[in-house]
Amino acid sequence: MDTREKIVMAAFKLFVNNGFHNTTMQQLVEASKMSKGAFYHYFKSKNDLYTQVINQYFLTFYKEVDWEKYNEMELSIKQIEIEIQKFYLNFVPKISSLTEKGLSEYYIMYFEAYNLLPEFKQEVQKFYKNLEKVILNATDNKTEQLKTATRIVAKFEGILFLLAINPNLKIKDLLEQIIE
């Protein structure tokens, strides 16, 4: 792991535990175990570092999805739900391991970033628009298309909420309960 990555990881831990506004540059410099000058060589401001943290610990998951592939595959609703399940089975353990307190801390930071960073908000909205488009274009989604898309997205996002409020639940068990 290079120096820049170490700084980003240390900053993530501070931001996820304290929030953006309650984390100071002094805390970030101290957590990096670098001098102020060396720290500022890598990041010119707290905003710059926060944006990098959000890109690495949040947006990378969204950017891994190959929407072009899903649009070309002509999937049924059942197949789409299986693909979403695969995404969650990969995504949830990764993000759960990032914080000591589970998903709740991660989602507090997620919504903080959603409100603070317009580019993050745009990427999140783009992700869900792409997911909606894939569901709307499902081969067997002939009636109430938007209702079906909304139901599927809400079902899976509800799983994330349950995991955030009850960290003892297991993603695999919850997904087995909702897949029809």
Side-chain angles (χ1 to χ4, degrees):
M1 182 180 311
D2 71 11
T3 303
R4 188 174 178 83
E5 289 174 25
K6 287 178 185 174
I7 294 170
V8 171
M9 181 185 289
F12 171 77
K13 289 176 183 176
L14 283 171
F15 287 135
V16 80
N17 288 317
N18 303 334
F20 175 78
H21 295 295
N22 293 325
T23 301
T24 66
M25 280 301 288
Q26 184 61 37
Q27 290 171 317
L28 292 165
V29 170
E30 287 172 8
S32 74
K33 297 181 172 52
M34 301 179 76
S35 69
K36 268 189 183 181
F39 181 89
Y40 281 104
H41 171 75
Y42 291 97
F43 296 98
K44 61 184 179 265
S45 68
K46 183 168 87 166
N47 288 352
D48 182 34
L49 178 54
Y50 187 73
T51 300
Q52 182 60 44
V53 167
I54 296 306
N55 285 335
Q56 183 167 328
Y57 288 96
F58 292 84
L59 288 179
T60 55
F61 299 112
Y62 288 153
K63 291 178 181 178
E64 289 174 357
V65 178
D66 184 354
W67 294 111
E68 205 58 43
K69 176 184 94 173
Y70 289 121
N71 285 318
E72 292 172 3
M73 289 174 70
E74 297 183 12
L75 300 170
S76 68
I77 290 171
K78 176 76 173 162
Q79 291 169 315
I80 291 167
E81 288 195 82
I82 290 169
E83 292 300 316
I84 295 170
Q85 183 177 13
K86 287 179 196 174
F87 174 80
Y88 276 53
L89 286 170
N90 177 46
F91 170 72
V92 170
K94 284 182 183 176
I95 62 173
S96 295
S97 69
L98 295 175
T99 67
E100 296 167 10
K101 297 178 184 174
L103 290 180
S104 61
E105 295 287 327
Y106 184 85
Y107 277 100
I108 290 169
M109 188 173 174
Y110 177 94
F111 287 110
E112 178 185 58
Y114 188 85
N115 288 313
L116 291 175
L117 302 174
E119 56 280 349
F120 178 67
K121 184 176 186 175
Q122 290 169 349
E123 286 296 323
V124 169
Q125 289 173 342
K126 188 167 95 177
F127 177 86
Y128 285 101
K129 277 291 177 201
N130 283 325
L131 177 56
E132 181 181 89
K133 181 180 172 188
V134 168
I135 299 168
L136 289 173
N137 293 328
T139 58
D140 57 346
N141 192 6
K142 302 295 181 202
T143 60
E144 297 186 317
Q145 294 167 314
L146 187 56
K147 190 175 189 178
T148 300
T150 302
R151 180 184 52 79
I152 291 170
V153 171
K155 178 168 58 172
F156 283 94
E157 290 302 308
I159 292 292
L160 293 178
F161 180 77
L162 286 173
L163 289 167
I165 62 171
N166 189 343
N168 295 326
L169 295 174
K170 303 288 182 230
I171 181 68
K172 191 172 189 301
D173 295 340
L174 291 172
L175 288 171
E176 286 174 2
Q177 293 176 34
I178 66 165
I179 296 294
E180 299 166 7

